Amino acid sequence: MKKFLTFFVSIFILITTLCGCGEDYKNATVYYELAAFPTTLDPSVVSDSTATMISSNIYEGLMRLDYDLNVVCGAAESYSVSGNTYTFTLRDNLKWSNGDPLTAKDFVFGLQRSVDPKTNSPSAQRLSCIKNASEIISGKLPVKNLAVSAPDDKTVVIETVNSAQLLKTLTGLAAMPCNEEFFNKCAGEYGMTASTILSNGSYRIRLWDFENGKMRITKNPNYSGNFVPNNTSVILTKDEELSPIQRLENENVDMAQIDSLSISKAKELGLNCLTFENTLWLLTVNDTKFSKDLRSVFAMTFNREKYSKSLVDGYRITSDIFPAVVKGKDTVLSPISFSTVSPQTAFKNATGGKALDKISIVYYDDPVIRNALVDIAGNWQQLFGVTINLVPSGNLIDLQNQLKNKTYDMCLFPITAKDSSLSDYLKQFSVTENDLQKAQNLVLGNFSVIPVAVQDTCYAMTSDITKANVSLRSEIIDFSFVIKKD
């Protein structure tokens, strides 16, 4: 009898132990290597990928994305629609990270701040689906005219001009709540330190150490929503001496965004890689220095096979202006058609038979793109006998200023789709068109733009990490879903 009793006790202990292990991951700390250290976490003004990702984890809008990227209720418990008017009912017991009540007026103030021209929010245009938002952003109407109201503490009413866009828009950082009293107390430093942040998301900021490049976000004890984290905290670091792939190799971190040149190394190390195509490398030809006929010659003779072998894993040649996250992985678009005359004849006709002065191509200094550009320039030099100088730049802002002022001959630079929104992506080309093919024809038809290559964003992680989903959200990892098992 004792043997049987001992046997059953042992089985009971084993089963209990195994069942308990199933929840051990909820006490885990995830270590993530940042691409850069943020300077602000004010959701209305963040623009870089690091700040966007962290802000998205510490704030929650009326709506949010679930693990499968469906738009679902966030701080809102439910909503109803009547014509172009949406009425959102907030969840009970909503609180800020310090325990103060969060009310409907906080969402109204947050939306007003984002469209206010004084805020200069880079995401303000995303709120243009709200009535009067565009007019406020352009300075034609005062902020008080934004068609958003809070009839009581639990109700937010929004009138739209494009209701199809509203729910997705409300998941974005421009639609995050803001406590007006706390904001005013911060006296211009809102979101710039741990003490000047008041958030309402799954996590809250517990450490922001500028000197040592370290941050810590922890499970928010005042969060009562449906997205409670599967871990205790996330430690975010930025090592100035070691690269993200080296940090992963040394087992200093569990996850990191790595550059395309590190993808092969990550695979050799047995790391799991999530890659998605969201960046386009674009060559622009100055339309104030070169005629349309000559620009068409450059586009016609742009031989992608000449530089295809210079591209490594994570880069691919393209003739489209859309990366896959915008157009879809399997979408095929028709290229622009050109004259059937020979390149040399077309060049002679475009230049009137005159010799062309040397051309400078300024480019963002990426080692892979640099090699491709050598092949591109070599092809044109061979065809037309023109001298081409390659001028590297490590500063995208400087390149943007050159593009704005048109002080370049040609310029090669990357543009990144922040999500799958076609309209947001096309704003970078000053084009409003819902049809992919028509939009591409508009952009390429002037021959001032030549698509060169597309590039993947890659997140690498150890085998201990699961439930990380960033396939269509190039700047955001929702850490609340991430599970770390030792």
Side-chain angles (χ1 to χ4, degrees), residues 244-261:
I245 190 64
Q246 289 173 319
R247 296 274 283 164
L248 284 162
E249 183 176 13
N250 295 344
E251 300 182 352
N252 300 129
V253 293
D254 303 304
M255 307 174 67
Q257 181 179 335
I258 60 174
D259 59 49
S260 298
L261 288 175

Side-chain angles (χ1 to χ4, degrees), residues 215-422:
M215 303 182 72
R216 185 184 185 101
I217 58 174
T218 62
K219 189 182 298 185
N220 183 0
N222 292 305
Y223 177 71
S224 59
N226 299 319
F227 296 87
V228 176
N230 283 319
N231 48 72
T232 298
S233 62
V234 182
I235 292 180
L236 307 121
T237 54
K238 178 66 181 81
D239 193 299
E240 296 298 334
E241 296 182 1
L242 298 178
S243 67
I245 190 64
Q246 289 173 319
R247 296 274 283 164
L248 284 162
E249 183 176 13
N250 295 344
E251 300 182 352
N252 300 129
V253 293
D254 303 304
M255 307 174 67
Q257 181 179 335
I258 60 174
D259 59 49
S260 298
L261 288 175
S262 299
I263 293 177
S264 296
K265 178 66 173 179
K267 292 177 180 178
E268 289 175 10
L269 293 172
L271 299 171
N272 294 325
C273 294
L274 292 177
T275 60
F276 50 98
E277 180 188 294
N278 69 325
T279 297
L280 170 73
W281 285 87
L282 199 66
L283 180 67
T284 60
V285 184
N286 193 332
D287 58 9
T288 66
K289 294 189 176 184
F290 302 101
S291 68
K292 185 174 181 179
D293 286 341
L294 186 52
R295 297 196 306 271
S296 71
V297 174
F298 288 129
M300 176 177 67
T301 57
F302 194 79
N303 191 332
R304 292 174 174 83
E305 293 305 316
K306 288 284 186 181
Y307 63 88
S308 61
K309 292 181 180 179
S310 297
L311 303 182
V312 300
D313 193 6
Y315 295 79
R316 291 169 297 282
I317 60 173
T318 186
S319 58
D320 293 345
I321 65 167
F322 302 104
V325 296
V326 176
K327 72 174 183 177
K329 185 178 180 180
D330 300 318
T331 301
V332 178
L333 300 177
S334 300
I336 293 291
S337 58
F338 298 102
S339 168
T340 57
V341 302
S342 71
Q344 286 77 13
T345 299
F347 183 78
K348 183 178 179 180
N349 292 339
T351 60
K354 297 179 180 179
L356 192 66
D357 291 338
K358 66 181 179 181
I359 297 172
S360 293
I361 304 179
V362 60
Y363 66 99
Y364 186 65
D365 196 8
D366 174 277
V368 176
I369 293 300
R370 184 194 312 132
N371 292 336
L373 191 52
V374 168
D375 296 332
I376 292 168
N379 179 54
W380 278 335
Q381 289 179 151
Q382 182 179 3
L383 281 174
F384 307 128
V386 59
T387 299
I388 299 179
N389 294 328
L390 305 182
V391 183
S393 173
N395 190 324
L396 272 177
I397 295 177
D398 179 56
L399 287 183
Q400 290 167 357
N401 288 332
Q402 291 191 55
L403 288 167
K404 181 179 178 180
N405 298 320
K406 295 200 171 183
T407 57
Y408 61 95
D409 294 334
M410 297 184 185
C411 183
L412 179 59
F413 61 97
I415 59 174
T416 299
K418 294 184 178 181
D419 54 33
S420 59
S421 171
L422 174 63

Side-chain angles (χ1 to χ4, degrees), residues 44-240:
S44 288
V45 302
V46 296
S47 58
D48 64 274
S49 59
T50 296
T52 297
M53 182 180 70
I54 299 172
S55 297
S56 297
N57 278 275
I58 64 174
Y59 288 93
E60 182 176 73
L62 293 168
M63 308 298 291
R64 66 178 290 165
L65 299 178
D66 67 10
Y67 179 75
D68 296 314
L69 307 180
N70 300 307
V71 178
V72 298
C73 284
E77 182 179 68
S78 62
Y79 65 90
S80 60
V81 186
S82 178
N84 291 325
T85 300
Y86 282 68
T87 300
F88 297 87
T89 301
L90 302 185
R91 294 195 317 264
D92 290 333
N93 200 34
L94 282 183
K95 293 181 180 179
W96 288 104
S97 51
N98 66 353
D100 289 348
L102 187 153
T103 67
K105 68 179 182 180
D106 296 321
F107 283 97
V108 173
F109 181 66
L111 289 164
Q112 289 175 334
R113 271 199 69 227
S114 290
V115 299
D116 189 337
K118 295 178 183 178
T119 304
N120 195 27
S121 171
S123 304
Q125 287 294 340
R126 295 193 176 198
L127 300 176
S128 59
C129 59
I130 300 176
K131 184 179 177 180
N132 295 334
S134 294
E135 292 79 3
I136 296 168
I137 294 168
S138 62
K140 295 178 181 178
L141 287 176
V143 172
K144 66 180 183 180
N145 282 40
L146 187 67
V148 179
S149 61
D152 58 57
D153 285 350
K154 286 195 61 179
T155 307
V156 179
V157 179
I158 302 177
E159 294 181 63
T160 72
V161 292
N162 185 350
S163 58
Q165 296 293 324
L166 181 65
L167 296 181
K168 178 67 178 293
T169 296
L170 294 179
T171 68
L173 290 177
M176 295 301 107
C178 182
N179 183 288
E180 185 173 7
E181 181 181 356
F182 181 85
F183 174 79
N184 291 332
K185 285 181 179 179
C186 291
E189 296 191 357
Y190 179 69
M192 299 177 70
T193 64
S195 62
T196 58
I197 292 175
L198 194 61
S199 59
N200 72 314
S202 305
Y203 294 90
R204 61 176 177 171
I205 291 284
R206 299 299 289 169
L207 174 70
W208 192 351
D209 185 347
F210 289 90
E211 184 176 348
N212 296 302
K214 185 176 181 180
M215 303 182 72
R216 185 184 185 101
I217 58 174
T218 62
K219 189 182 298 185
N220 183 0
N222 292 305
Y223 177 71
S224 59
N226 299 319
F227 296 87
V228 176
N230 283 319
N231 48 72
T232 298
S233 62
V234 182
I235 292 180
L236 307 121
T237 54
K238 178 66 181 81
D239 193 299
E240 296 298 334

